[in-house]
Amino acid sequence: MAAPGTEAAGRPIAAGDARREPDPAVELDGLGRAYGERVVLRDVTLALEPGRTLLVLGPNGAGKSTLLRILATLLRPHAGRARVLAHELPREGWAVRGRIGLLAHEPLLYRDLSGRENLRYQARLFGAPEARVGELVERVGMARRADEPVRTLSRGMVQRLAICRTVLHRPELLLLDEPLANLDPAAAELVEPLIGRTAGATRLLTSHDPAGALARRSRSRPWRCSA
Amino acid sequence: MYGKGLRPLSLASAATLTAAFALVFFYAPNDADQGFVQKIFYVHVPMAIVALGGFVAAGLMAIAHLRSGDRRWDVRSYVAIHLSLILAIGVLVTGAIWAKASWGHWWVWDEPTLVSFLIIFLLYATYQPLRFSIENPERQARYASVFAITAGAFVPLNFIAVRLAQAYTHPRVLSTTGGNLPGSMRLTFLVALAGMALLYVTLWKYEMASKHASAQLRALRRKLAGEEPPLPAGRSAAPSLAAPAQPVP
Amino acid sequence: MALFSLTTFVIFHFGLHRTSLSGDLAAGVLWVTLLFAAMLGVNRLFVAEHEQGGFDAFLLAPVDRSALLVAKAAALFAYLVIVELVAVPAFFLLLAGPSPGQALPDLLWILLLADLGVAVVGTLTSALAIQTRARDLIGPLTALPLLIPVVIAGARATEPLLGANGAGAVPLKWAAILGLYDVVFALLSYAVFDFLLED
C-alpha cells in the first residue's frame, strides 16, 4: 500500500484525547464557487465523519460535479473553507491528492490505450503495485476485454474500468459522481465491494435519481444551490 | 480610485508633449545627414521605448496576478499590453516612414530594432485572440498572464538575437548606448521620451478608471435588478474589473 | 511528419527552382522545414489529454505537476529527433550539394541544442493553446514568433557548415545564444507551467 499517511482518517483516538471527536473526513464551511459571474455553489456547509457516506442529490446542472471537483483538488473554491482529510484546500491539495479517488462523469482514461495500459500508467502515477491492476480487472469482470483499446468498449465496460482507476490506490475518500451510470445490475453487483458501503472508505456520492440512490445512502442532507 | 490624480497627470503629459514638440521644431537642429525627416526620431524612438517598457511592465503585472491571485492585476496587465500594442503600430508606421525617407524603402531588414519590433508585435498580436478564445474568465486571466510573462521575458532575448544578426550598415542617429548624441538633440529626445511615458501612464489610468466605473455601474445595476446578475453581452477578450460574484448570505 | 519534411524539400526545390543549395539558403530551407514540422507536433501534443480527460487524471495523482512539462517536452524532443533522423539525410540527399561528412557532427549538436528550445517553447505554447477554441491557430501564432530567435541562431550557426566549398567552423556566438535561449525558456516554463493546469 503506497499511499502515504493512511493513518489520518481512520486513526484510532489516542487515549489521552478521548473526548475529541475524530476529524471529519470532509468539512465544508460556506463553500462557494462561480464560473465567471454565474454562481454554481453557494454557502455549502457540511461535515462528513470518516467511514460514513453522504449522498448529494440534485437535478442536472445543480453543481454536484463542481462540488466533487473541488473536493478532488481539481477546482479552487471561491468562498468559504474546505477541509479534506484534515488538510485545508486548495493550499494543501498536494497532501490529500493520493488519498482521494474520484469517479467523474468522464472516465479519465486514454481512449487509444487499452484498459490495462491505462491502469498500469495510473498505478505508476499513484505508486500503487502493478499486481493490483490485474486483480481489479479480474474483479470487475473485465479480464477478457482489458487489452482492447478503451474506445472499442461499451460505456458500461468503460465505467467498470473507471471504477478500477478510482480505487487503484485504495483511497480513503471516494468521490463518486453517479457511480452506477451505464452499469447493468450484474456489473453493479461486481463493483459493489470496491465502491459500495462495504469498501471501508468515506464516500460522497451524487445522483439525480433519488429513488435509486436513497437505497444506498447512510445519510443525506439538503443543501442549497443555484444553477 | 483610478480616477484620482488623473487631471494633473493629463495636464502634465499635455504640457510635456507640447514642450517636446516645440523643442523638436524650434530647438533641435536638423540632422546633418538626414535633414528634417530625422525629426521623426523624436516620436519613433520614445514610442518604441515606452511600448517595450509597457510590455515588460505587463509581464511584471502578470507575475503579480499569478502570485496574488488578484484579478485586478490581470486587468492592469491587459490594459498595459493593449496600449503598448497601439504604440507598437505607431512605431512600425513611423519606422516605415523614416526608412522610406532616409533609405528609400518602406521596410528595411537590416534595421535590427525595427525587425525585433515586428517580431514582438506579431507575438503580442496573438494576445487578444488568445483571450477571446478562452471562455472561462478565470482561466482566460491566468492563461493571459502566462502569455504576458513569457512574452515579457522574450522581449529582451529577442532584441539580443536580432541585433546580433544584423550588421550596422546604415547611419544611425542613436548608437546602441545612446552616448554620442549632441546636447540639444539629447535634451529634446529626453523631453519627448518623458512626454510619451506620461502619455502612456495617463492613458493607462484613463482606461483603468473607465473599467472601474463600468464595473461599479454593473454592480449597482445588479443591486437594482435583485439577485439575477446581468450577464455581460457576448464574450469579450477584455477582462472586467468586477470581482467574481460573492456568495450572498 | 518525416514525410511532411520530405514533401517540403520537394516543394522548396520547385519553389526556388534550384537543384542544389548551399550556405545561407540551404540553412534557411532546413530550419524552416524543421520548424514547420515541429509545429505539427506542437499542435498534437496535448490533444489526447484535452479530449480524453488525461489532464484531470494526471492532476489527481500525487505527483509534481512539473512532471507533465518535463514528460511532454521530452516527448516533443524525441519527436523532433526522429523527424530529423529522416529529414536531415533526405536534405543532404535531395538539396545540399557537397557530401555532408565533415559538417555532420557540428550540425548534429546544434540541431539538438535547438530541439531543446523548440521542445520547451512548443510544450508551453501547446499547453497555452489547448484550452482555447482556436488552438490550431493560437498555438503556431504564439510559438512561431517565440521561436524566431532559434531560427536566427540555428540558421546562422549552421550556415558555414553548408558552404558550397565544404564546411567552415561553427560561429560559437550563435551556439551560445541557442544555449541561453534554452536556459531562459526552460526556467520560465518551469515557473509558469503549473498555472496552465489549475482551475
Side-chain angles (χ1 to χ4, degrees), chain B residues 47-242:
Chain B
M47 204 142 72
I49 291 174
V50 171
L52 290 177
F55 283 138
V56 174
L60 297 176
M61 292 167 185
I63 292 176
H65 168 234
L66 291 184
R67 286 184 71 100
S68 67
D70 184 348
R71 287 268 297 279
R72 276 175 303 180
W73 281 111
D74 172 56
V75 182
R76 290 176 188 143
S77 166
Y78 167 83
V79 174
I81 288 180
H82 179 77
L83 288 173
S84 280
L85 260 176
I86 296 171
L87 286 190
I89 295 174
V91 171
L92 292 174
V93 170
T94 51
I97 294 172
W98 193 8
K100 175 73 182 168
S102 52
W103 304 313
H105 300 285
W106 289 110
W107 186 257
V108 282
W109 283 108
D110 40 15
E111 174 55 61
T113 324
L114 206 52
V115 174
S116 309
F117 222 95
L118 179 65
I119 296 170
I120 286 167
F121 173 75
L122 288 175
L123 176 62
Y124 276 97
T126 325
Y127 179 75
Q128 310 251 7
L130 172 77
R131 289 201 82 114
F132 188 72
S133 61
I134 301 176
E135 276 163 59
N136 177 344
E138 266 181 67
R139 175 178 284 166
Q140 186 192 83
R142 230 175 33 245
Y143 277 44
S145 286
V146 167
F147 182 97
I149 294 170
T150 310
F154 174 75
V155 167
L157 204 64
N158 177 56
F159 263 80
I160 296 173
V162 176
R163 196 171 274 279
L164 282 174
Q166 318 285 352
Y168 305 131
T169 49
H170 286 279
R172 296 174 59 79
V173 177
L174 192 64
S175 80
T176 37
T177 52
N180 56 358
L181 212 57
S184 55
M185 279 185 161
R186 176 186 294 199
L187 176 72
T188 312
F189 171 71
L190 289 179
V191 173
L193 181 60
M196 194 60 75
L198 276 171
L199 178 69
Y200 183 89
V201 175
T202 311
L203 289 176
W204 184 86
K205 282 193 77 122
Y206 262 114
E207 197 169 340
M208 288 305 293
S210 136
K211 280 192 178 294
H212 186 63
S214 53
Q216 273 181 324
L217 182 67
R218 208 135 40 94
L220 286 174
R221 276 219 185 107
R222 189 180 316 172
K223 244 180 208 165
L224 274 178
E227 282 285 299
E228 201 55 41
L231 289 172
R235 222 147 26 81
S236 160
S240 68
L241 261 175

Side-chain angles (χ1 to χ4, degrees), chain B residues 11-30:
Chain B
L11 291 176
S13 43
T16 320
L17 279 177
T18 315
F21 273 100
L23 288 174
V24 166
F25 287 111
F26 303 116
Y27 174 67
N30 273 352

Side-chain angles (χ1 to χ4, degrees), chain B residues 135 139 142-143 165 235, chain C residues 133 156 195-196 198-199:
Chain B
E135 276 163 59
R139 175 178 284 166
R142 230 175 33 245
Y143 277 44
R235 222 147 26 81
Chain C
R133 284 174 313 123
R156 295 299 164 105
F195 294 101
L196 296 178
E198 267 177 44
D199 239 329

Side-chain angles (χ1 to χ4, degrees), chain A residues 27-39:
Chain A
E27 195 180 5
L28 305 178
D29 187 8
L31 187 79
R33 167 79 202 197
Y35 290 105
E37 301 197 359
R38 191 164 55 89
V39 180

